[in-house]
Amino acid sequence: MLVVAAALSVTSGPACAQTRIYTCKDASGRTLTSDRPLPECQGREGRVLSGQGTTVQKIDAPLTPEQIAAREAEQHKKREEDERRREQARKDKALLNTYSSLDDIENKRQRALAQVEREMRESERRISLLDRQAAENRAEAEFYKKKALPPDLKRRVDENEASIRAERHLYEAKKGEVAQVNARFDEDRRRYVDLTGAVNPAPEKPPRK
């Protein structure tokens, strides 16, 4: 008898462990249970239980269109955040490779500003030259007050006026570039301090001459 009981316990244990019970709630809230998947549970949240009644699998209900859209939006947001982090890491690495210290940042700032200053002075020189040419054209045009300008003179006047407009536009752009250079180096300096913990005294910015 003991041998028979032992044999029964050995065979019944694995069989019980392999048993699966499928359960869910129908549209009226009634709990449905079966030893095989139920058609009534299709598209509904449910569970698969072991023979001992423990949950071995949770079956989620299909997502609604709104839930799908929300999940996709969240995934898109996460991808964008991951991309921003990668881009920031790339910029940080480039920043640390570009500057060796805060003094290095300021030296590069001054060199960049000096370059802009040189370009502005050169633009001022060209504007002065164009203004003299314009004065010469006006003086020559005095002889033709009541007549059409000769084609060559009219061409020179038109070209001179166009050149002056373009050069003044360039000069104003260079003036704005001074602020852009300072803003760029200010941001590089701030980020460098954040990354390295370097002491951050206020940078000196000499006024433009």
Side-chain angles (χ1 to χ4, degrees), residues 159-173:
E159 289 178 352
N160 175 265
E161 290 177 348
S163 296
I164 288 176
R165 286 194 299 270
E167 198 61 47
R168 290 191 183 281
H169 179 76
L170 175 63
Y171 181 79
E172 291 301 317

Side-chain angles (χ1 to χ4, degrees), residues 41-52:
C41 291
Q42 186 69 31
R44 294 189 170 277
E45 182 179 333
R47 290 182 300 157
V48 180
L49 309 177
S50 69
Q52 289 78 23

Side-chain angles (χ1 to χ4, degrees), residues 2-178:
L2 290 175
V3 174
V4 174
L8 288 173
S9 65
V10 169
T11 56
S12 63
C16 182
Q18 293 173 3
T19 300
R20 291 292 181 265
I21 302 171
Y22 298 84
T23 179
C24 72
K25 290 184 181 294
D26 64 11
S28 63
R30 184 166 54 99
T31 299
L32 303 178
T33 303
S34 175
D35 60 353
R36 66 196 62 190
L38 291 163
E40 295 88 339
C41 291
Q42 186 69 31
R44 294 189 170 277
E45 182 179 333
R47 290 182 300 157
V48 180
L49 309 177
S50 69
Q52 289 78 23
T54 58
T55 300
V56 296
Q57 182 184 353
K58 186 176 183 298
I59 302 172
D60 295 323
L63 297 178
T64 65
E66 292 78 10
Q67 290 172 325
I68 293 173
R71 182 180 63 180
E72 290 176 349
E74 183 64 26
Q75 291 172 343
H76 178 70
K77 179 181 177 181
K78 185 178 183 303
R79 286 194 298 270
E80 287 185 335
E81 291 174 349
D82 291 342
E83 179 59 30
R84 279 195 295 269
R85 281 193 292 269
R86 285 192 294 269
E87 179 64 14
Q88 187 61 57
R90 184 193 65 77
K91 289 180 178 179
D92 289 345
K93 182 178 179 181
L95 184 77
L96 295 175
N97 288 335
T98 300
Y99 305 117
S100 60
S101 66
L102 292 178
D103 286 341
D104 190 26
I105 294 176
E106 292 311 312
N107 290 336
K108 286 182 170 64
R109 181 204 298 266
Q110 295 309 320
R111 287 198 292 272
L113 289 173
Q115 176 63 30
V116 176
E117 294 284 350
R118 286 192 294 271
E119 292 171 355
M120 290 179 67
R121 287 193 295 271
E122 178 61 22
S123 182
E124 288 174 333
R125 187 191 67 78
R126 290 193 295 267
I127 289 172
S128 178
L129 177 61
L130 289 167
D131 284 341
R132 287 198 298 272
Q133 291 174 351
E136 293 171 359
N137 290 337
R138 286 194 297 271
E140 188 175 347
E142 285 292 321
F143 297 101
Y144 304 96
K145 279 188 175 181
K146 297 183 179 180
K147 295 185 292 184
L149 296 179
D152 180 65
L153 177 57
K154 186 175 187 314
R155 175 185 58 77
R156 283 187 282 125
V157 168
D158 291 343
E159 289 178 352
N160 175 265
E161 290 177 348
S163 296
I164 288 176
R165 286 194 299 270
E167 198 61 47
R168 290 191 183 281
H169 179 76
L170 175 63
Y171 181 79
E172 291 301 317
K174 289 297 174 184
K175 285 173 64 177
E177 194 172 330
V178 172

